[in-house]
Amino acid sequence: MAGINPAVDRSAVGKPIEDLDTPALCLDLDLFEGNLKRMADFFRGRPAQLRPHFKNNKCSQIACRQLAAGSIVGMTCAKLGEAEVLSAAGCTDILIANQIVGPAKIARLIDLARRTPTLRVAVDDPANITAIAEAAARAGVTVGLLVEVDIGMNRCGVQPGKPALALARQIAKFKGVRFDGLQAYEGHLVAVADRDERGRKVRQDMAKAIETKQLIEADGIAVAIVSGGSTSTYDVAGTIDGVTEVQAGTYPTMDHMYVKLAPEFDIALSIVSRVISRPKAGLAVLDVGLKGAGHEFGPPKVKGLLGREKGVRPVLPERPEGCCAQNGSDPFFTQMSVHLSEEHCTIQRSPEWKVGQAVELVPSHSCTTCNLYRQIHVHQRGSIVDVWPIEASGRLT
Ligand SMILES: Cc1ncc(COP(=O)(O)O)c(C=O)c1O
């Protein structure tokens, strides 16, 4: 896989991070590479392998590096548009872990199947299966199908057991589609705060997928794949007998919500913004708002002031190994009060920052933050070393 590399503004390369035009999305290269290595090392030599979820960053340069880090069988996507980007970037094995419904989308799916060696999609509806199968047969292509099983999330998916078997039998009768296995994502459990409790519940609910696999196999239909898992459950889901792939998404970038769930990964993603106003003592206003920071899990947190003024950086103490939040405390971040409006970030109880200074923020949700930017500035030891396009950002279809 080589990446696409559409034109990006590379003028910041070689400059200090605080000189970026703001707001700018940034990635700490060393922390990012550490995250990739940590996850790849966990899966090395295990029966289950990674199928990272592209929805986290939507950036083919990141996907290339994930694949190079190893222990990966292919990529997961949420959107057909993401799969199109990955295929164009040279990814040869793609799972769309979502339903592709309607004539326009099925036409795009078939077109994508023509140029992607292995393309799979999740299904949970007999009419949708028929529509995909007939379109694929007409075009002379084969699309792999995973029957999605609802193991407790209450999103898409048929119930485990006989309803899933019925769809597997239907798929087995068609040309143009191939029954490859089960999609079973335990999204209702990824944010369970206590890790032991999370693990217990994941084993309990994933068992529904494994029992469904056994039922289908007993019917004489091979189940090659059981795909599920996440950044906060990989170590449990990825060691359950019968689970073949783990769809972890957030681990390359992380964010301040997810680091509480999986503190072994570092927050590599940040937004560099600038102080544009100091209207009164203790109040600082930055140039990024709701349109520049995913905020589903709260406003961003302040990582620190950037710049050459020694003595003000870092604002934060060094982060001790694994310190984050297992006990509910969060010493990584200062206690300033941060509020976002459309284009502004107001910070109460701010230190004596000056207008023009650059401040690094950590978003609460990396996936929706990456979706807002067209490029990501990669930095190392305070300098911009590369700029990567986020080709699938904004792709809603
Ligand atoms: C289908 C699916 N698989 C896996 C994931 C896990 O992603 P993450 O590791 O970011 O929690 C998600 C998250 O939304 C998902 O929707």
Side-chain angles (χ1 to χ4, degrees):
M1 185 171 167
I4 301 176
N5 270 329
V8 286
D9 178 2
R10 297 183 56 82
S11 58
V13 173
K15 293 185 180 156
I17 185 170
E18 63 268 22
D19 286 357
L20 280 171
D21 195 7
T22 55
L25 190 67
C26 291
L27 189 74
D28 183 313
L29 186 60
D30 295 334
L31 297 181
F32 160 74
E33 284 179 342
N35 289 342
L36 298 195
K37 181 171 176 342
R38 195 163 296 118
M39 190 62 103
D41 284 352
F42 179 85
F43 280 95
R44 194 147 295 119
R46 291 187 190 270
Q49 292 287 284
L50 281 165
R51 182 179 286 282
H53 208 316
F54 191 53
K55 57 109 199 179
N56 166 249
N57 53 76
K58 295 171 169 253
C59 166
S60 74
Q61 289 297 324
I62 291 183
C64 289
R65 283 157 181 81
Q66 287 176 294
L67 288 165
S71 311
I72 286 180
V73 287
M75 297 296 294
T76 306
C77 300
K79 295 285 177 179
L80 191 48
E82 293 172 0
E84 288 165 344
V85 164
L86 278 174
S87 180
C91 186
T92 55
D93 189 332
I94 301 171
L95 165 65
I96 305 171
N98 243 331
Q99 285 61 22
I100 296 299
V101 175
K105 281 224 171 50
I106 291 177
R108 275 169 67 199
L109 181 74
I110 300 306
D111 208 35
L112 186 60
R114 285 199 182 96
R115 42 184 208 274
T116 310
T118 303
L119 180 64
R120 298 189 179 96
V121 62
V123 290
D124 65 0
D125 177 78
N128 181 228
I129 291 170
T130 304
I132 294 173
E134 288 179 354
R138 273 197 304 277
V141 297
T142 303
V143 179
L145 301 185
L146 299 191
V147 170
E148 182 160 5
V149 179
D150 175 13
I151 57 169
M153 195 185 178
N154 245 338
R155 196 167 68 178
C156 299
V158 291
Q159 289 307 295
K162 285 183 183 163
L165 172 62
L167 293 188
R169 281 181 179 155
Q170 182 197 354
I171 294 165
K173 288 193 192 126
F174 280 115
K175 283 203 175 109
V177 286
R178 185 186 58 237
F179 174 75
D180 280 343
L182 301 175
Q183 162 72 19
Y185 170 53
E186 73 288 17
H188 55 301
L189 301 176
V190 301
V192 172
D194 181 80
R195 208 158 183 167
D196 291 339
E197 184 191 350
R198 195 189 309 156
R200 267 195 312 279
K201 289 184 162 165
V202 168
R203 285 187 189 287
Q204 193 179 306
D205 284 355
M206 270 293 179
K208 300 175 196 169
I210 302 304
E211 282 158 20
T212 304
K213 166 185 156 78
Q214 288 159 354
L215 182 75
I216 296 171
E217 284 173 342
D219 202 57
I221 302 172
V223 181
I225 293 173
V226 176
S227 199
S230 74
T231 299
S232 70
T233 59
Y234 69 96
D235 51 338
V236 177
T239 55
I240 293 173
D241 197 20
V243 172
T244 62
E245 307 180 347
V246 169
Q247 304 171 353
T250 300
Y251 72 95
T253 59
M254 298 300 284
D255 52 46
H256 78 66
M257 189 284 287
Y258 224 128
V259 81
K260 295 176 189 156
L261 300 167
E264 64 272 36
F265 299 104
D266 288 304
I267 303 174
L269 192 77
S270 65
I271 301 164
V272 174
S273 63
R274 205 166 290 286
V275 182
I276 54 167
S277 177
R278 291 291 328 229
K280 55 185 173 187
L283 175 64
V285 184
L286 310 181
D287 60 357
V288 65
L290 294 168
K291 288 178 178 169
H295 52 275
E296 293 74 18
F297 306 122
K301 292 194 177 188
V302 176
K303 184 169 178 187
L305 188 68
L306 293 164
R308 292 159 213 135
E309 286 192 31
K310 302 295 175 214
V312 292
R313 186 188 181 205
V315 166
L316 300 172
E318 281 295 305
R319 180 184 170 203
E321 190 71 28
C323 76
C324 267
Q326 263 164 339
N327 56 8
S329 68
D330 201 355
F332 187 32
F333 299 103
T334 51
Q335 294 308 308
M336 297 170 231
S337 161
V338 179
H339 175 79
L340 292 181
S341 55
E342 209 168 315
E343 301 291 3
H344 299 87
C345 175
T346 51
I347 301 189
Q348 312 280 350
R349 297 192 294 280
S350 86
E352 286 308 306
W353 298 337
K354 298 188 190 98
V355 167
Q357 284 184 316
V359 176
E360 198 172 9
L361 301 173
V362 174
S364 64
H365 194 181
S366 54
C367 308
T368 51
T369 300
C370 290
N371 190 48
L372 298 170
Y373 289 83
R374 300 287 171 266
Q375 54 188 39
I376 189 162
H377 296 86
V378 185
H379 59 99
Q380 205 171 25
R381 291 183 286 279
S383 293
I384 305 299
V385 294
D386 213 342
V387 184
W388 297 339
I390 307 181
E391 305 95 327
S393 76
R395 291 224 170 191
L396 299 180
T397 64

